[in-house]
C-alpha cells in the first residue's frame, strides 16, 4: 500500500543521485550545492527510496542554515520522511527538530514563520505539535498578514487532529476573537473557514452579526460564506429563507466568481420565482460580460438546466439569451439557438424571428469563414419557428429564398426544404413563393437543391401563367443564353465543356447535366411531364398544349441521347434511363389513372410525410413532459392558511413552491429501490473469510464504488486494504486506506474513479489483510471484476439525415457485426437492438412499414463526453425464415465503436 503524499515533483529516473554525493554536498559550505543536494534527496524520497543515513547529516549541517530556500526545502524534507515506527510511535530523533521548529516560529523573518506554519498544517503527529502550540498562537498577533493567515490554518489543522480538542480546546473561541478584529481579507477567510469547519454555530453567529457588511467582504470570504449557507440549508431546510436573502444581496458583489456561485446556490436551494428569476438574470449577465468561451458554455449549460425546470421564467429571458449569438464561436451559437427554440411562445415569436433574420443578413458579409455553417443553423432555427408558428412564415420565407444559390450546399438545402414545407402548410403563400422561386431558380448551383426546387415547381405551379413560366424557366436553364437553339442540336454539334465557376454564363441545369448528373436529368424530365399534364387541364388551346408537349419531348429525348453518347466519360445509369423513358411514354399516351398518380398522389404522399413528422414531434414533446405523482397520504399545506408572521415575500414564495413540489410529487423522484439493487455487485464468495459487495454509482465523469466489507471470522483483521486497479480509460482518484476490522464487523469503503471517454472499462483488485494471530503473513482475496457498461454513458439523441450522412462519411472507426439471432421478424430484431444499445431510431416508422423481407435503419446516440455513435442496421429475411445481414457502427473514437460492437454481439441473440 502506498502512503499518502502531499506534494508531487517531477523526477528524471535516468540520472539517479548517489547518497554519498548528496551527503558530501550537504556537509559542504556551498549554499547552491546544498540546495541542489536537498532537491535530489527529496526526489529520491518521493520515489520510494529510503536514505536514513542523511537525517543526522541534515540536522547537523542544514538545520542551522539561514538561507530561506534551504529552510523551505528542509521543511519539505521533514514533511515526507517517516516520523513514526511500525507501531505508530514517534521516532525519538524527531525531538531534535522540535526546537528548530520553535525557533522558526519565533524567527524575525515573516517568510520563515509563514512557511513553518504551513508545514505544521501537514503534520499529523501530536507529540511533535504539542510543545509548539504556544508559539503557533502567538503568531496570530504577528504584524504581517502572511504569518497570521498561516497561523489560523495551523490552529485549524491542530484542532482537527484526533486529539485536537484536548490539545487546543479553546481554538474556536480564539479564532472567533481573532476574526472580530482582523482586517486582512485572506486571514479573515481562513479564520471563517476554521469556524465553518470546526464550530459552525460560531460561524453562523458571526455571519448574522455582520450581515450588513457581507457585500464589502473579500471574494474568498464570500465564497466560504456561500459554502456555509449550502451546508446549513441542506441540514436545516426550515431556515433557508433568511439565508436566501443573503445570497440575493451577494448577487451585487463585484466578483463574477461569487455572482456565479450565488446563482448556482439560489437554484439549488430555492424554487421561488423571485430567486429563480434573479439567478437566470445573473447567468444572462455573465453570458454577455465574460469573454472566455468556456465560461459562456458553462453558463449556457446552467441556463439549459433552468429551462428544463423553470420554463415559464426562462421564457422572459429568451431575448437576453439570444444576445449570446454575437459570439463568433459556433458551439456557443448552437447551444444558444437550442435553448432559445424551446422558449418560443406566441408572445415572443415575432421578436425571436426578427433577431434571427438580422443574424441571417449579417452572414452575407464574408468576414468569417464559418458564415455558411452559421447561416445553416439560423435557417434551421427559423424553420422550427415557422413550423411551430405558421403565421411568421410570411415574414421570413422570401428573405431565406435569397440563399437558394448559397455556396454552402447544406445551408441552401435547408432553405429549399423549408420552402417546400411552408408552401404546403401555408396555402396563402403559394403564389408569392412560386413567383419568387421561378425568378431565382437560375441562381441555384447545387444539384440536390435543384432537384428539390424542381419538385416544388412541378407540384405547386397550378395556374396557366405559373405552368407556362415553369416550363419557360426550365427551358432557359437548360439552353442557357441560346434559348432558341434546340437541345438536340447542341448535343449533337458540341461536346460538353464544363468549367467550374462558369455556371452563370450557361444554364445551371445544362451545366450540371453535361457534367454527368443524370439523376437531375430524370428529375427535369419528371417536372416537365407534370407541367405538361397540368397544362392540359388549364390551357384551352389544344395547339398550345401540343406545342409544349413536343418541346418537352425534344428536351427529354435529347437528354436520353446525351446519356447514351460517347461524349461523356460515364453513360446514363439504368434507374435514370428508366425514369426518362417512362416520361416519354407518358407524354405520348396519357391515361386518367396515370394522370391522377402524377398530379395528386405525389402531393398526398408529401402531406402524409409532414403529418407523420408532426405526430412524431408531438409524441417526443409528450414523452419529455415531466410526470410527477404525489402519494395518496402526502401532506399538502394551503398557502392561504399558513402563518405569515415575520416572513418576507421571498420566504413566502419559497414555502409555496416547496408545497407545490411536494403536492405534485417532484420531491419523490429518487431512483427506485429495485434499480439500486440491480447495481449491487458481489465481489467475493460467501465462503471467503471476508465478504465484499459494491454498489456502483455512475455519474457522467465519475464512478463511485461504495464497497461493504464484512469480517466473517472470529479474529481481528489488521491493515485490511482494498487494492484496486483499472483497465481502459478509467483512473483511480485516491487509494483507500488501511483499516482494522473487529470480528464479525463490517466497514464501508468508498473509492472514486474518473472516466475520460466512452469505453467499456474494467475494475479489478484484491482485499489484503493480516490477522492478529499471524501479523507477518498477509492474506490476499481476489475480487470479481467490475465491468463498467457503455450504456451508462450514452443516451438516445436526434440529428438531421444530412448531419448523419456527413458524420458517416467523416468518421474513421467502423465496427461491422454480422447478424446472428434467433429472432425471425425484422422489426422485432430492430426494436431489440434499439433497446439493447440505448439508441434512437432516426428512420421514421412509416419507412419501416410493410413486409418486403428487407429492413434498413439508422440509429443514433450521443455520449456524456459529446461523442457521436452512429449505427446502420441492414437485415434481410432468408428463404428459411432466418435473418441475415450486418450492423455497422461508426464513431470518431475507437473505444465507442468497439464497445458498442461487443454489446451488440452479446445482446443480439436474446429476445426483446
Amino acid at each position: 500500500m502506498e502512503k499518502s503524499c502531499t506534494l508531487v515533483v517531477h523526477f528524471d529516473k535516468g540520472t539517479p543521485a548517489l547518497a554519498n554525493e548528496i551527503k558530501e554536498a550537504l556537509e559542504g559550505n556551498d549554499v547552491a550545492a546544498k540546495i541542489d543536494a536537498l532537491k535530489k534527496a527529496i526526489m529520491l524520497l518521493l520515489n520510494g527510496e529510503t536514505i536514513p543515513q542523511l537525517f543526522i547529516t541534515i540536522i547537523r549541517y542544514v538545520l542551522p542554515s539561514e538561507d530561506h530556500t534551504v529552510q523551505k526545502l528542509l521543511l519539505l524534507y521533514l514533511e515526507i520522511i517517516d516520523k513514526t515506527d511500525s507501531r505508530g510511535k514517534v521516532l525519538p530523533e524527531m525531538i531534535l527538530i522540535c526546537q528548530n521548529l520553535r525557533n522558526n516560529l519565533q524567527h524575525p523573518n515573516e517568510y520563515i514563520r509563514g512557511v513553518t506554519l504551513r508545514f505544521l498544517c501537514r503534520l499529523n503527529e501530536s507529540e511533535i505539535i504539542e510543545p509548539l502550540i504556544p508559539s503557533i498562537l502567538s503568531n496570530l498577533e504577528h504584524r504581517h498578514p502572511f504569518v497570521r493567515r498561516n497561523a489560523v490554518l495551523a490552529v485549524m489543522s491542530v484542532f482537527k487532529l484526533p486529539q485536537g480538542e484536548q490539545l487546543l480546546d479553546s481554538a474556536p473561541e480564539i479564532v472567533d476573537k481573532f476574526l472580530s478584529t482582523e482586517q486582512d481579507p485572506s486571514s479573515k477567510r481562513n479564520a471563517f473557514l476554521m469556524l465553518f469547519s470546526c464550530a459552525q454555530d460560531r460561524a453562523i453567529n458571526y455571519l448574522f452579526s455582520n450581515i450588513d457588511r457581507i457585500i464589502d467582504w473579500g471574494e474568498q470570504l464570500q465564497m466560504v460564506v456561500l459554502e456555509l449557507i449550502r451546508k446549513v440549508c441542506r441540514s436545516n431546510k426550515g431556515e433557508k429563507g433568511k439565508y436566501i436573502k443573503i445570497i440575493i444581496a451577494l448577487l451585487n458583489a463585484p466578483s463574477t466568481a461569487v455572482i456565479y456561485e450565488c446563482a448556482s446556490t439560489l437554484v439549488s436551494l430555492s424554487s421561488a420565482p423571485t430567486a429563480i428569476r434573479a439567478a437566470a438574470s445573473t447567468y444572462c449577465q455573465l453570458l454577455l460580460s465574460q469573454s472566455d468561451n468556456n465560461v459562456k458554455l458553462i453558463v449556457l449549460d446552467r441556463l439549459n438546466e433552468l429551462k428544463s425546470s423553470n420554463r415559464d421564467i426562462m421564457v422572459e429571458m429568451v431575448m437576453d439569451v439570444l444576445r449570446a449569438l454575437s459570439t463568433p464561436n459556433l458551439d456557443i451559437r448552437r447551444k444558444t439557438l437550442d435553448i432559445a427554440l424551446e422558449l418560443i411562445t406566441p408572445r415572443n415569436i415575432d421578436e425571436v424571428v426578427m433577431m434571427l433574420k438580422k443574424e441571417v443578413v449579417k452572414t452575407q458579409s464574408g468576414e468569417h469563414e464559418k458564415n455558411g455553417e452559421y447561416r445553416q443553423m439560423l435557417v434551421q432555427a427559423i424553420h422550427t419557428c415557422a413550423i411551430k408558428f405558421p403565421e411568421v412564415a410570411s415574414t421570413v420565407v422570401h428573405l431565406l429564398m435569397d440563399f437558394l444559390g448559397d455556396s454552402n450546399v447544406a445551408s441552401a438545402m435547408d432553405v429549399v426544404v423549408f420552402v417546400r414545407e411552408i408552401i404546403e402548410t401555408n396555402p396563402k403563400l403559394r403564389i408569392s413563393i412560386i413567383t419568387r422561386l421561378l425568378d431565382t431558380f437560375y441562381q441555384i448551383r447545387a444539384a440536390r437543391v435543384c432537384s428539390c426546387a424542381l419538385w416544388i415547381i412541378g407540384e405547386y405551379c397550378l395556374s396557366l401563367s405559373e405552368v407556362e413560366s415553369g416550363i419557360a424557366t426550365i427551358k432557359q436553364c437548360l439552353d442557357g443564353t441560346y434559348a432558341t437553339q434546340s437541345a438536340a442540336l447542341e448535343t449533337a454539334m458540341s461536346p460538353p465543356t464544363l468549367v467550374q465557376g462558369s455556371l452563370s454564363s450557361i444554364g445551371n441545369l445544362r451545366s450540371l447535366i453535361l457534367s454527368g448528373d443524370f439523376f437531375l436529368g430524370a428529375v427535369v424530365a419528371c417536372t416537365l411531364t407534370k407541367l405538361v399534364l397540368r397544362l392540359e387541364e388549364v390551357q384551352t388551346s389544344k395547339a398550345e398544349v401540343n406545342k409544349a408537349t413536343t418541346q418537352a419531348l425534344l428536351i427529354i429525348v435529347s437528354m436520353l441521347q446525351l446519356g447514351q453518347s460517347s461524349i461523356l466519360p460515364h453513360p446514363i445509369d439504368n434507374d435514370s434511363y428508366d425514369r426518362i423513358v417512362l416520361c416519354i411514354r407518358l407524354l405520348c399516351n396519357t391515361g386518367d389513372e396515370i394522370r391522377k398518380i402524377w398530379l395528386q398522389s405525389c402531393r398526398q404522399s408529401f402531406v402524409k410525410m409532414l403529418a407523420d413528422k408532426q405526430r412524431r414531434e408531438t409524441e417526443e414533446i409528450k414523452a419529455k413532459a415531466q410526470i410527477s405523482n404525489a402519494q395518496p397520504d402526502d401532506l399538502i399545506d394551503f398557502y392561504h392558511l399558513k402563518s405569515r408572521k415575520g416572513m418576507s415575500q421571498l420566504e413566502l414564495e419559497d414555502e409555496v413552491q416547496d408545497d407545490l413540489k411536494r403536492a405534485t410529487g417532484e420531491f419523490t423522484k429518487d431512483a427506485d429501490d429495485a434499480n439500486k439493487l440491480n447495481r449491487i455487485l458481489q465481489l467475493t464468495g460467501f465462503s471467503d473469510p471476508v465478504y465484499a459487495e459494491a454498489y456502483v454509482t455512475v455519474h457522467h465523469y465519475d464512478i463511485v464504488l461504495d464497497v461493504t466489507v464484512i469480517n466473517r471470522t472470529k479474529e481481528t483483521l489488521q491493515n485490511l486494504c482494498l487494492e484496486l486497479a483499472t483497465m481502459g480509460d478509467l483512473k483511480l482518484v485516491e487509494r483507500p486506506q488501511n483499516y482494522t476490522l473487529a470480528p464479525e464487523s463490517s466497514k464501508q469503503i468508498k473509492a472514486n474513479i474518473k472516466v475520460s471517454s466512452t469505453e467499456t472499462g474494467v475494475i479489478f483488485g484484491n482485499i489484503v489483510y493480516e490477522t492478529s494471530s499471524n501479523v507477518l503473513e498477509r492474506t490476499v482475496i481476489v475480487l470479481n471484476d467490475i465491468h463498467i457498461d457503455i450504456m451508462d454513458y450514452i443516451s438516445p439523441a436526434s440529428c438531421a439525415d444530412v448531419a448523419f450522412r456527413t458524420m458517416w462519411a467523416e468518421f474513421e472507426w467502423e465496427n461491422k457485426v454480422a447478424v446472428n439471432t434467433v429472432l425471425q421478424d425484422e422489426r422485432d430484431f430492430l426494436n431489440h437492438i434499439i433497446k439493447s444499445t440505448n439508441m434512437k431510431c432516426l428512420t421514421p416508422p412509416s419507412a419501416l412499414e410493410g413486409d418486403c423481407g428487407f429492413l434498413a435503419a439508422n440509429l443514433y446516440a450521443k455520449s456524456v463526453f459529446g461523442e457521436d455513435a452512429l449505427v446502420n442496421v441492414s437485415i434481410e429475411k432468408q428463404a428459411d425464415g432466418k435473418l441475415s445481414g450486418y450492423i455497422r457502427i461508426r464513431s470518431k473514437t475507437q473505444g465507442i465503436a468497439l464497445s458498442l460492437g461487443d454489446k451488440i454481439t452479446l445482446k443480439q441473440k436474446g429476445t426483446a
Side-chain angles (χ1 to χ4, degrees):
M1 181 66 187
E2 294 182 17
K3 60 182 180 181
S4 60
C5 178
T6 53
L7 66 143
V8 179
V9 181
H10 172 70
F11 176 58
D12 185 1
K13 291 186 178 179
T15 56
L18 298 174
N20 290 338
E21 294 176 1
I22 294 173
K23 188 176 179 184
E24 286 176 15
L26 292 174
E27 290 174 353
N29 295 322
D30 187 352
V31 174
K34 276 189 180 182
I35 290 172
D36 190 51
L38 268 175
K39 286 180 179 178
K40 288 178 180 176
I42 290 168
M43 287 192 280
L44 286 172
L45 286 166
L46 283 175
N47 285 276
E49 299 288 338
T50 55
I51 326 171
Q53 66 271 30
L54 279 186
F55 183 77
I56 297 300
T57 304
I58 286 175
I59 294 296
R60 287 182 61 192
Y61 296 101
V62 179
L63 214 62
S65 174
E66 290 292 325
D67 185 82
H68 290 182
T69 306
V70 170
Q71 284 297 321
K72 182 178 179 180
L73 290 170
L74 172 63
L75 292 173
L76 292 178
Y77 169 81
L78 295 175
E79 183 182 325
I80 59 178
I81 61 170
D82 289 323
K83 292 173 270 296
T84 56
D85 57 20
S86 58
R87 293 172 297 173
K89 296 286 184 183
V90 174
L91 295 169
E93 55 265 33
M94 287 300 120
I95 302 302
L96 296 171
I97 68 169
C98 279
Q99 184 59 42
N100 178 68
L101 292 174
R102 186 185 292 110
N103 292 340
N104 280 359
L105 291 174
Q106 296 168 357
H107 199 280
N109 183 277
E110 60 270 9
Y111 175 76
I112 297 295
R113 288 196 186 208
V115 293
T116 306
L117 287 164
R118 190 179 295 172
F119 161 72
L120 294 177
C121 294
R122 303 190 184 105
L123 275 189
N124 298 318
E125 291 74 27
S126 54
E127 292 92 335
I128 299 175
I129 287 176
E130 187 174 6
L132 303 175
I133 289 175
S135 300
I136 294 172
L137 294 176
S138 66
N139 278 295
L140 288 172
E141 300 173 2
H142 193 273
R143 59 180 178 78
H144 203 284
F146 177 71
V147 177
R148 298 198 301 273
R149 74 179 69 134
N150 284 296
V152 175
L153 291 177
V155 170
M156 180 170 70
S157 63
V158 170
F159 191 75
K160 281 185 173 181
L161 290 174
Q163 302 85 21
E165 292 189 25
Q166 287 81 29
L167 289 174
L168 195 53
D169 59 338
S170 59
E173 186 181 342
I174 293 169
V175 173
D176 195 359
K177 186 178 177 183
F178 169 84
L179 184 58
S180 61
T181 57
E182 181 58 48
Q183 298 300 318
D184 176 58
S186 295
S187 302
K188 286 176 74 173
R189 178 258 179 198
N190 291 351
F192 190 82
L193 180 64
M194 187 274 170
L195 295 180
F196 163 51
S197 305
C198 307
Q200 191 170 297
D201 291 341
R202 287 181 179 272
I204 293 170
N205 290 337
Y206 178 78
L207 177 64
F208 282 101
S209 61
N210 294 274
I211 197 165
D212 297 330
R213 293 193 290 273
I214 291 176
I215 194 68
D216 300 320
W217 288 355
E219 175 187 332
Q220 294 176 321
L221 182 52
Q222 288 174 342
M223 296 289 270
V224 180
V225 166
L226 289 170
E227 195 177 337
L228 171 68
I229 290 172
R230 281 195 292 268
K231 184 178 178 183
V232 172
C233 292
R234 275 197 293 267
S235 58
N236 188 1
K237 292 183 179 178
E239 294 187 0
K240 66 179 180 179
K242 57 185 180 183
Y243 291 104
I244 289 173
K245 287 190 286 187
I246 297 175
I247 301 171
I248 295 282
L250 280 174
L251 285 174
N252 298 315
S255 166
T256 51
V258 171
I259 293 171
Y260 174 80
E261 283 299 320
C262 282
S264 301
T265 307
L266 265 182
V267 173
S268 65
L269 295 182
S270 175
S271 304
T274 304
I276 299 298
R277 197 171 284 111
S281 178
T282 301
Y283 284 141
C284 289
Q285 289 172 16
L286 290 171
L287 192 60
L288 297 172
S289 63
Q290 297 303 299
S291 57
D292 190 311
N293 287 342
N294 293 316
V295 174
K296 287 179 183 284
L297 288 169
I298 291 168
V299 171
L300 283 169
D301 283 338
R302 300 292 83 78
L303 286 169
N304 194 36
E305 290 166 7
L306 273 185
K307 176 207 68 186
S308 304
S309 55
N310 298 274
R311 184 179 184 275
D312 293 342
I313 293 171
M314 284 300 298
V315 162
E316 304 167 14
M317 305 284 176
V318 65
M319 296 310 295
D320 292 326
V321 173
L322 279 173
R323 288 165 69 188
L325 291 175
S326 58
T327 307
N329 183 280
L330 281 181
D331 291 330
I332 293 171
R333 285 171 162 173
R334 187 176 291 109
K335 263 191 178 176
T336 302
L337 288 172
D338 289 344
I339 293 170
L341 289 177
E342 293 191 35
L343 298 175
I344 51 176
T345 64
R347 295 180 62 184
N348 63 26
I349 183 64
D350 291 333
E351 281 185 288
V352 170
V353 170
M354 181 71 70
M355 179 84 166
L356 295 177
K357 282 170 64 179
K358 287 179 180 176
E359 290 296 313
V360 169
V361 173
K362 286 180 187 175
T363 62
Q364 288 179 289
S365 63
E367 294 176 12
H368 299 289
E369 57 181 21
K370 293 191 176 178
N371 268 354
E373 196 174 339
Y374 178 42
R375 190 183 306 122
Q376 184 186 353
M377 288 160 48
L378 291 169
V379 170
Q380 291 170 350
I382 292 172
H383 188 170
T384 306
C385 293
I387 298 305
K388 288 185 180 178
F389 301 94
E391 62 273 11
V392 304
S394 60
T395 64
V396 293
V397 68
H398 297 301
L399 170 69
L400 293 184
M401 287 179 75
D402 290 337
F403 297 99
L404 283 171
D406 196 342
S407 56
N408 183 319
V409 178
S411 175
M413 196 67 207
D414 283 332
V415 171
V416 79
V417 169
F418 169 66
V419 171
R420 185 182 66 182
E421 193 164 340
I422 293 303
I423 199 171
E424 173 58 42
T425 54
N426 292 263
K428 294 178 181 178
L429 299 176
R430 186 191 64 80
I431 297 174
S432 62
I433 289 176
I434 281 293
T435 306
R436 187 67 178 271
L437 181 58
L438 292 173
D439 288 343
T440 57
F441 184 80
Y442 73 94
Q443 298 174 353
I444 301 175
R445 295 289 170 260
R448 287 167 57 206
V449 182
C450 277
S451 299
C452 192
L454 284 167
W455 186 89
I456 296 171
I457 291 170
E459 287 294 333
Y460 295 96
C461 286
L462 303 180
S463 68
L464 177 59
S465 61
E466 289 168 355
V467 172
E468 289 176 341
S469 298
I471 295 172
T473 299
I474 294 172
K475 282 173 60 181
Q476 183 151 1
C477 289
L478 282 169
D479 297 343
T481 52
Y482 303 99
T484 55
Q485 296 178 11
S486 73
L489 269 175
E490 283 293 307
T491 305
M493 298 296 291
S494 60
T497 53
L498 179 65
V499 182
Q500 286 296 97
S502 64
L503 294 180
S504 55
S505 59
I506 56 176
N508 53 349
L509 291 180
R510 178 183 180 82
S511 54
L512 289 167
I513 292 170
L514 288 177
S515 66
D517 191 340
F518 285 102
F519 176 80
L520 178 61
V523 174
V524 170
C526 291
T527 305
L528 283 171
T529 304
K530 282 184 187 177
L531 290 173
V532 170
L533 291 176
R534 191 158 279 122
L535 187 66
E536 292 177 6
E537 296 180 349
V538 295
Q539 175 61 270
T540 54
S541 171
K542 191 70 176 174
E544 289 295 325
V545 173
N546 290 338
K547 182 181 176 184
T549 305
T550 53
Q551 288 178 343
L553 280 169
L554 180 62
I555 291 170
I556 296 171
V557 170
S558 300
M559 285 193 293
L560 209 54
Q561 288 180 339
L562 175 67
Q564 293 177 323
S565 70
S566 59
I567 296 172
L568 297 180
H570 301 290
I572 186 171
D573 59 282
N574 291 334
D575 287 344
S576 299
Y577 177 85
D578 290 344
R579 286 186 77 190
I580 292 174
V581 168
L582 177 65
C583 292
I584 295 171
R585 287 175 178 168
L586 186 59
L587 287 173
C588 295
N589 186 14
T590 308
D592 291 338
E593 194 62 35
I594 297 294
R595 185 189 299 276
K596 184 180 177 183
I597 292 171
W598 278 69
L599 297 184
Q600 294 177 24
S601 299
C602 291
R603 175 94 66 88
Q604 288 167 1
S605 298
F606 179 58
V607 171
K608 186 181 176 185
M609 185 191 85
L610 290 181
D612 186 52
K613 177 186 171 188
Q614 191 169 7
R615 179 180 56 78
R616 280 187 285 120
E617 288 174 352
T618 306
E619 287 174 358
E620 284 179 12
I621 291 169
K622 284 181 181 177
K624 284 181 183 177
Q626 294 181 351
I627 301 171
S628 303
N629 298 311
Q631 297 301 316
D633 56 350
D634 278 356
L635 176 69
I636 299 177
D637 289 336
F638 289 92
Y639 169 52
H640 292 289
L641 302 180
K642 291 179 77 74
S643 169
R644 305 187 184 191
K645 189 175 180 181
M647 295 179 77
S648 67
Q649 181 62 32
L650 180 59
E651 289 174 280
L652 279 171
E653 280 186 28
D654 191 60
E655 288 281 340
V656 172
Q657 289 298 317
D658 282 357
D659 293 342
L660 285 172
K661 282 193 170 184
R662 201 173 288 111
T664 55
E666 283 191 43
F667 278 164
T668 56
K669 282 188 178 178
D670 295 334
D672 190 18
D673 289 339
N675 291 334
K676 290 185 177 180
L677 289 174
N678 291 337
R679 291 186 173 275
I680 293 179
L681 302 171
Q682 185 179 336
L683 300 180
T684 62
F686 291 114
S687 59
D688 286 320
V690 175
Y691 175 75
E693 63 182 24
Y695 173 60
V696 183
T697 306
V698 178
H699 182 71
H700 290 196
Y701 296 88
D702 301 296
I703 298 172
V704 179
L705 298 183
D706 198 344
V707 184
T708 304
V709 180
I710 303 172
N711 179 6
R712 305 183 69 238
T713 67
K714 301 291 183 183
E715 291 185 287
T716 299
L717 305 183
Q718 296 178 347
N719 292 328
L720 183 141
C721 173
L722 176 69
E723 296 180 344
L724 296 175
T726 59
M727 189 169 70
D729 281 347
L730 305 175
K731 185 179 180 183
L732 281 166
V733 176
E734 57 199 19
R735 296 181 183 275
Q737 303 170 359
N738 285 356
Y739 301 95
T740 299
L741 214 56
E744 298 182 349
S745 65
S746 63
K747 184 76 180 175
Q748 298 289 120
I749 303 174
K750 282 196 174 182
N752 292 309
I753 294 163
K754 287 285 181 188
V755 188
S756 56
S757 75
T758 311
E759 187 177 330
T760 300
V762 181
I763 304 168
F764 52 92
N766 313 306
I767 288 178
V768 184
Y769 62 88
E770 300 164 355
T771 57
S772 53
S773 59
N774 190 353
V775 180
L776 298 176
E777 185 179 341
R778 291 175 69 81
T779 306
V780 179
I781 300 175
V782 179
L783 305 178
N784 289 333
D785 295 347
I786 300 173
H787 292 265
I788 303 302
D789 197 347
I790 187 177
M791 295 301 105
D792 291 320
Y793 303 119
I794 68 171
S795 55
S798 297
C799 77
D801 285 344
V802 176
F804 186 93
R805 290 192 182 95
T806 303
M807 288 189 285
W808 188 268
E810 289 176 355
F811 289 175
E812 54 191 25
W813 290 103
E814 177 174 296
N815 192 359
K816 194 174 182 181
V817 180
V819 172
N820 182 11
T821 181
V822 295
L823 297 173
Q824 294 194 343
D825 184 83
E826 303 97 317
R827 279 186 294 279
D828 286 349
F829 179 73
L830 176 65
N831 292 333
H832 178 57
I833 293 297
I834 291 170
K835 184 179 177 183
S836 302
T837 56
N838 198 24
M839 302 187 84
K840 180 175 180 178
C841 182
L842 298 182
T843 308
S846 56
L848 301 172
E849 289 175 356
D851 190 10
C852 63
F854 177 80
L855 182 146
N858 292 331
L859 313 182
Y860 179 66
K862 216 170 177 64
S863 77
V864 295
F865 309 102
E867 299 164 317
D868 301 286
L870 314 179
V871 171
N872 173 262
V873 180
S874 297
I875 45 180
E876 184 180 6
K877 183 175 274 192
Q878 302 294 329
D880 58 1
K882 291 184 178 179
L883 298 180
S884 66
Y886 291 97
I887 301 166
R888 291 196 294 164
I889 305 136
R890 286 197 183 182
S891 68
K892 215 169 197 174
T893 56
Q894 182 184 22
I896 197 168
L898 293 176
S899 300
L900 259 182
D902 293 342
K903 187 76 177 177
I904 290 171
T905 303
L906 183 70
K907 292 280 188 178
Q908 67 167 322
K909 291 186 180 180
T911 55

